[in-house]
Amino acid sequence: MRHQLFIDGRFVDAESGETLATLNPHDNATLADVALAGKADVDRAVAAAQRAFPAWSRMAAADRGRILLKLADLIDAHTEELAQLESLDTGHPIRDTRRLDVPRTAGCFRYFGGMADKFQGETIPVEAGFLNYTLREPVGVVGQIVPWNFPLMFTSWKMAPALAAGNCIVMKPSEITPLSSLRIAELMAEAGLPPGVVNMVPGLGHVVGQHIAEHPGIAKVAFTGSTATGRRIVQASAGNLKKVQLELGGKGANIVFDDAFLPAAVHGSAFAIFHNQGQACIAGSRLMLHEKIADAFLEKFIPLAQSIRLGNPLDDATEMGPLTSALHRERVLNYVEIAKGEGGELLAGGKSPSGELAHGCYVEPTVVRAKSWRDRVAQEEVFGPFVTVLTFKDDEEAMQIANGTDYGLGSGLWTRDLQRAHKVARELHAGMVWINSYKRVNPGSPFGGVGQSGYGREMGFDAMREYTQVKSVWVNVDAQVPPHFVR
């Protein structure tokens, strides 16, 4: 396991010499003591990125793309190693890191490796005698701050479009789960990425994250995490008016109408909330059921939730692993008490398992029926295997409840009525909507939210636009003196 900072193409200790233990959430055993970056290390990383930027940004786009394509191949070749590392560090079940996390990481680098030389400007019709065209230029050195819930996948979501566009990067992986990001940095060097183009500085958010957001040498900051931290980043970025891209919290409405195909809706809704232990900003954490089918749905959904196999994430049979930290486990369990205090009904789970799993950060799949859609458990992001059940009587009430939060990231709906599906998708206050499915992502499809869920988009052509700025070029094709200067 790599456990140093990655700056200017080399693994180095933090200038302070400080380290922080990264723990296995299955049993809270120490995996490694990882170098803990400070402000001086961010300064070193920014300086390295600034030195690398001129050559990297001027490199032929196809050559940048070939490096990303080679990196994707190396990730595929190290699938098992990366999957085990991610499962150890985060608690993701190995079946998911093999099947989803690693392939999606490689796929994202491969997508943007192919896009690097296909991202183009425009020619604009203006007045006669002039040619006007636009150039898409990289913004420069970008700071990227990623959370602990999908650390491997987020390396590609953040870095791939930025690198394809010609930017250099200073990334802060979460100090809780830095190991897979550091391994990707090593593979990047093997793929031929020049020194300084990517720098990894795991450190504390209020130190390293704050310094990245404030740093005058950073032209853009891209952040994934909580809404509260996102607000602080916006404030910190004002010093040099850097670009800001935010992918923040969510409280996804997962709406099951009375005409839905229930077997698909039940299993899809379980995946929407219990995949990755519910630690996903797009989780379907508000399960909204039409009152006509609510009982029939729950008769199938609750036993399914109770049957999910908890266990060691390295066990192929495990379907749900531990939460990523003991602190977060206590936060999730506290919402069970909040629900009870609000008069909610606990339908399943609501506690940590007994036996050998009691030593880890486990929480049983939890289902709570809320009294009101205005309750805290129906408004606040729990970020765990915790789903709040609400009912509605008609489409109008469904929309009132679904749009009745400050968040607007992802939402889903289950119906066999085509007209209703498109109408609801249009009216939902969300950046993404899934119909008869949930949590589908693809490198070509924009990912992001509205409202308190942030702004800007990951992936697709939209992500490349986020990491470039437009330059307008005017050419006097007639090469004549403008009329107002003629004597």
Side-chain angles (χ1 to χ4, degrees):
M1 298 179 192
R2 285 294 187 178
H3 52 83
Q4 293 173 290
L5 313 180
F6 185 75
I7 297 176
D8 207 10
R10 297 182 301 118
F11 284 96
V12 297
D13 292 331
E15 283 208 3
S16 67
E18 288 186 86
T19 62
L20 183 69
T22 182
L23 306 179
N24 181 344
H26 169 61
D27 56 10
N28 286 305
T30 297
L31 293 170
D33 291 312
V34 178
L36 189 66
K39 292 183 179 181
D41 302 300
V42 173
D43 292 340
R44 282 195 292 165
V46 172
Q50 288 173 326
R51 289 192 299 271
F53 177 70
W56 178 250
S57 61
R58 292 169 189 157
M59 181 185 290
D63 292 336
R64 290 199 301 266
R66 274 190 283 272
I67 292 174
L68 296 182
L69 293 172
K70 185 175 180 181
L71 174 61
D73 291 341
L74 286 170
I75 291 170
D76 283 338
H78 291 82
T79 291
E80 186 60 23
E81 174 197 354
L82 288 166
Q84 294 212 19
L85 193 61
E86 190 78 339
S87 293
L88 279 169
D89 207 17
T90 66
H92 295 199
I94 191 74
R95 60 195 289 169
D96 288 339
T97 54
R98 282 190 192 125
R99 181 175 58 93
L100 296 175
D101 297 43
V102 179
R104 284 176 173 176
T105 302
C108 192
F109 279 117
R110 188 167 286 118
Y111 177 86
F112 286 102
M115 186 189 284
D117 62 351
K118 300 171 184 66
F119 191 64
Q120 58 197 33
E122 301 173 313
T123 302
I124 302 167
V126 292
E127 58 261 39
F130 286 88
L131 168 67
N132 180 226
Y133 63 91
T134 60
L135 299 173
R136 281 278 180 177
E137 298 182 334
V139 298
V141 176
V142 298
Q144 299 180 329
I145 305 170
V146 297
W148 43 259
N149 57 327
F150 288 101
L152 178 64
M153 219 163 57
F154 280 133
T155 62
S156 62
W157 285 29
K158 287 282 190 290
M159 290 197 293
L163 292 172
N167 299 281
C168 292
I169 293 169
V170 176
M171 174 176 277
K172 189 196 94 65
S174 170
E175 69 278 10
I176 299 173
T177 57
L179 297 179
S180 59
S181 300
L182 293 172
R183 183 64 178 117
I184 289 295
E186 191 174 21
L187 293 179
M188 284 181 157
E190 187 177 338
L193 197 75
V197 173
V198 167
N199 306 271
M200 294 277 190
V201 285
L204 301 177
H206 69 276
V207 178
V208 172
Q210 180 81 11
H211 197 47
I212 286 174
E214 293 172 340
H215 204 291
I218 291 177
K220 171 184 172 173
V221 61
F223 170 76
T224 297
S226 73
T227 298
T229 304
R231 292 193 190 100
R232 290 195 291 271
I233 285 174
V234 172
Q235 293 168 350
S237 71
N240 68 335
L241 297 178
K242 58 173 58 69
K243 290 184 70 173
V244 179
Q245 177 186 340
L246 302 173
E247 196 264 280
L248 306 176
K251 192 68 176 176
N254 183 34
I255 311 167
V256 184
F257 289 98
D258 56 343
D259 65 338
F261 180 55
L262 283 191
V266 167
H267 285 83
S269 298
F271 177 77
I273 184 59
F274 298 128
H275 168 241
N276 194 33
Q277 298 76 256
Q279 297 172 135
C281 49
I282 56 173
S285 54
R286 287 185 296 156
L287 179 56
M288 297 173 47
L289 307 175
H290 192 285
E291 59 187 20
K292 289 182 180 178
I293 53 90
D295 291 342
F297 184 97
L298 292 173
E299 283 175 9
K300 294 178 172 60
F301 183 79
I302 292 173
L304 176 59
Q306 293 169 328
S307 73
I308 293 173
R309 292 190 295 272
L310 276 69
N312 189 330
L314 294 181
D315 187 338
D316 287 335
T318 294
E319 295 176 322
M320 201 174 90
L323 300 184
T324 302
S325 72
L327 182 65
H328 189 57
R329 176 194 60 197
E330 297 312 309
R331 181 182 184 275
V332 171
L333 290 174
N334 184 54
Y335 271 98
V336 177
E337 301 309 311
I338 291 172
K340 292 177 181 177
E342 294 178 321
E345 179 185 3
L346 182 64
L347 303 179
K351 64 184 187 301
S352 295
S354 57
E356 65 172 295
L357 299 186
H359 299 293
C361 304
Y362 292 87
V363 173
E364 293 179 356
T366 298
V367 184
V368 168
R369 191 198 299 265
K371 282 189 67 176
S372 166
W373 61 270
R374 296 180 177 88
D375 288 351
R376 285 182 63 187
V377 291
Q379 292 289 320
E380 299 176 10
E381 186 176 38
V382 179
F383 215 69
F386 184 112
V387 63
T388 301
V389 177
L390 303 161
T391 58
F392 62 92
K393 64 179 182 297
D394 54 30
D395 290 17
E396 182 179 356
E397 186 180 22
M399 296 311 302
Q400 179 190 24
I401 297 172
N403 291 335
T405 75
D406 292 332
Y407 294 111
L409 191 57
S411 293
L413 62 117
W414 304 81
T415 181
R416 284 183 273 197
D417 184 329
L418 184 62
Q419 185 178 19
R420 168 192 276 161
H422 289 294
K423 182 175 185 291
V424 172
R426 185 180 66 247
E427 294 179 359
L428 279 168
H429 183 66
M432 296 166 288
V433 177
W434 297 278
I435 298 173
N436 293 328
S437 61
Y438 208 98
K439 287 180 72 172
R440 305 303 303 179
V441 296
N442 184 279
S445 179
F447 184 105
V450 297
Q452 295 301 302
S453 292
Y455 47 78
R457 293 295 180 266
E458 314 270 15
M459 302 196 284
F461 276 91
D462 293 271
M464 292 285 282
R465 295 185 186 100
E466 297 281 351
Y467 285 102
T468 57
Q469 50 200 1
V470 180
K471 177 181 286 183
S472 179
V473 180
W474 288 75
V475 182
N476 184 346
V477 295
D478 290 341
Q480 295 178 356
V481 178
H484 50 278
F485 285 121
V486 174
R487 296 288 186 269

